[in-house]
Structure formats: structure tokens, C-alpha cells
Amino acid sequence: MGFHTVGLIGKQGHSGANLSLQALIVYLKQKDCRVIVEQSCASQLKGNGFEIADLNTIGTQADLAIVVGGDGNMLGAARVLAKHNVAVVGINRGNLGFLTDINPDDFERQLDTIFTGECQIEQRFLLELEVYRGGELQSTNSAVNEVVLHHGKVAHMMEFEVYLDENFVFSQRSDGLIVATPTGSTAYSLSGGGPILTPNLDALSLVPMFPHTLSARPIVVDANSTVRMKVSKENKDNLQVSCDSHIVLTVLPGDEIVIRKNPAKLSLIHPKDYNYFNVLRTKLGWGSKLY
């Protein structure tokens, strides 16, 4: 597929990830690839034959990025790499591995198929969020999985209103709200009772967190909608909004959070035998075929 410059991103301080990165460097050099290793994990690797750079530089120069680690490592890399339109593939050195689906013990065979073009490419959309205070933009960031409005303290309730394209949807007293992409529907949203959305859907799920009414239920909406959350001024404490559980932004009573689809997309590459429902069955322990 014309991959000549490959970026490597690894899970820091993880011996298994370091072994995979070391093997990947050998593999890629045999394919005459230029190899750029992300700077935070490069110091743990032996030998030479590779360059060192930050994620943004990898994004501007690489044709392919290989993330070695868990889904958390993929999320952190994806938020940066998506804006550079770099193809990304994941080698699982984490736990569940919904996004990092290549087996580290069989990576050469699976990468061979990717290099020869026998693979699947998915376009996953991201979210962008903005926090406004008195009509002025305070902070902004992006998310691959979900944006979550939540309290800074455990088991504390808040009040807020939700609007969809300026239409009032509901007000709520709860611990917060999860706004999840299809990619994030198998992450925090799933733990909160949200629906699983197949990756090809152009939709978002809005999942209440411990609402103070039994009638509150998750709702699936068009991903091209703008979601606005108005935080009540009656809240006595400062709140937070987080992206993929990695980035936390401060929210004060009376602030507004605006969430919309990010123009950047994550180009996620899978081996040719990848099947989303096989992943669900394996990771979530679903039953096998009876006959």
C-alpha cells in the first residue's frame, strides 16, 4: 500500500511493548522502511536504525503509524494522528484491545497482509468539544471514544440541560452524561448501560450517569447534530468534562459545553480477516454459534 515511512508508538515502561517495538524495527528495516519512534518510548529501545520524533512530527511524515499497547495508548495517539490523516494500526499489549486488534505473537503475518494491501480500512469519526463561560470560549479539545460531563467528587449530583441543534431535549439531575461515538460505545458508555453502536453508524449515544429518575434512558442521535449541555447555576461545586478519560477540562456552574463532530477522522487499519462481531464475541464473552 506504499508504506515507506512508519511511525512507532509504544506503551511506556511495558516490557512486552518494548519487545514488540524492537521486533517491529527489525521487521520494518527488512522492508526498507524509514522508521520513526515516538520520543517517550525511544529511550527504552536498543540499537539504532530509527529516528526519534514527537507525535505531531510522526503525523506529518509517516504513511503508517503502528501503536503497540492497549486501547488507551491508541486513543492518545489517535487524537493527534487523526488530524494528519495517517493510517493507524494497533498491536495489542493491553487488556481488551477493541482498537489494538493485532496479536503480538503473530504480527509479522498480519502486517504482511497490510503491506500488500490485503486489509480493511475504517474511517472513525472523532468529537470536538468547547467550553463556554459567559459566551466566551474557555477551552477546547477532542475525543475518540467519548466526552463526559461529571462531578469532581464521587457520587455527587448535578443539574444540567441538554439541547440538540438548539432543540431542548431534557433537564436532568444526575452524576453526569456520557456522549459516546460508535468507537466509544464499547468503552465507558457500555459500562454505564449504553447501547453498542456498530462502527459504520453515523450516530452518537447520550447516556445518563445514575439519573435521579427511573425514566431517564440512553438515546441515540444523529452524529451531525450539535449537542449542547447547559450547566445550572444552582450547582454549588465546580464540575469537569473529560475526553476519553485522558483530558480533563474545568466546568463552572453556568457554563455551556458544546459537542460536535470533529472534521478529522481516524483511518484505522485492520487485517483482512478482521470481523467486528468476532471482536465483540471474544472481548465481551458472547456465546458462540450453536450449529
Side-chain angles (χ1 to χ4, degrees), residues 54-259:
D54 60 21
L55 260 180
N56 269 303
T57 302
I58 289 175
T60 59
Q61 298 188 22
D63 311 309
L64 173 70
I66 302 176
V67 178
V68 182
D71 287 344
N73 302 100
M74 174 64 84
L75 293 173
R79 282 193 299 272
V80 176
L81 297 175
K83 61 187 177 185
H84 298 293
N85 197 29
V86 179
V88 184
V89 64
I91 295 179
N92 187 22
R93 282 291 188 178
N95 294 316
L96 279 175
F98 276 100
L99 298 175
T100 51
D101 49 27
I102 287 184
N103 186 332
D105 298 324
D106 189 32
F107 80 85
E108 291 183 341
R109 179 189 65 82
Q110 294 179 81
L111 285 183
D112 280 343
T113 64
I114 289 172
F115 270 86
T116 57
E118 300 176 82
C119 58
Q120 301 180 43
I121 302 178
E122 278 189 323
Q123 296 285 313
R124 303 282 186 97
F125 72 83
L126 286 72
L127 297 176
E128 62 180 12
L129 79 98
E130 299 167 332
V131 178
Y132 289 89
R133 188 166 303 141
E136 303 236 345
L137 180 64
Q138 299 297 306
S139 54
T140 183
N141 222 296
S142 61
V144 179
N145 270 355
E146 72 279 306
V147 173
V148 183
L149 172 65
H150 58 95
H151 211 286
K153 300 176 183 177
V154 176
H156 271 62
M157 194 171 291
M158 69 179 78
E159 294 183 353
F160 58 94
E161 295 178 339
V162 177
Y163 293 78
L164 201 65
D165 292 331
E166 303 305 326
N167 295 308
F168 175 67
V169 182
F170 56 74
S171 60
Q172 195 167 95
R173 299 182 73 235
S174 69
D175 283 14
L177 185 75
I178 304 168
V179 181
T181 65
T183 302
S185 70
T186 51
Y188 192 37
S189 170
L190 183 65
S191 300
I196 294 175
L197 307 178
T198 55
N200 59 317
L201 288 177
D202 199 19
L204 297 173
S205 59
L206 277 57
V207 183
M209 298 169 61
F210 304 104
H212 201 57
T213 170
L214 295 178
S215 63
R217 289 291 182 267
I219 180 173
V220 177
V221 302
D222 187 345
N224 297 296
S225 304
T226 297
V227 180
R228 178 178 277 103
M229 292 182 276
K230 293 185 177 181
V231 178
S232 171
K233 294 180 180 179
E234 300 302 315
N235 292 303
K236 294 183 172 57
D237 299 304
N238 295 349
L239 310 175
Q240 296 175 335
V241 61
S242 62
C243 304
D244 298 336
S245 302
H246 285 193
I247 298 158
V248 178
L249 307 178
T250 299
V251 175
L252 302 183
D255 284 359
E256 291 191 10
I257 299 108
V258 177
I259 303 167

Side-chain angles (χ1 to χ4, degrees), residues 14-21 68 93 104:
H14 189 278
S15 58
N18 290 338
L19 284 173
S20 291
L21 288 168
V68 182
R93 282 291 188 178

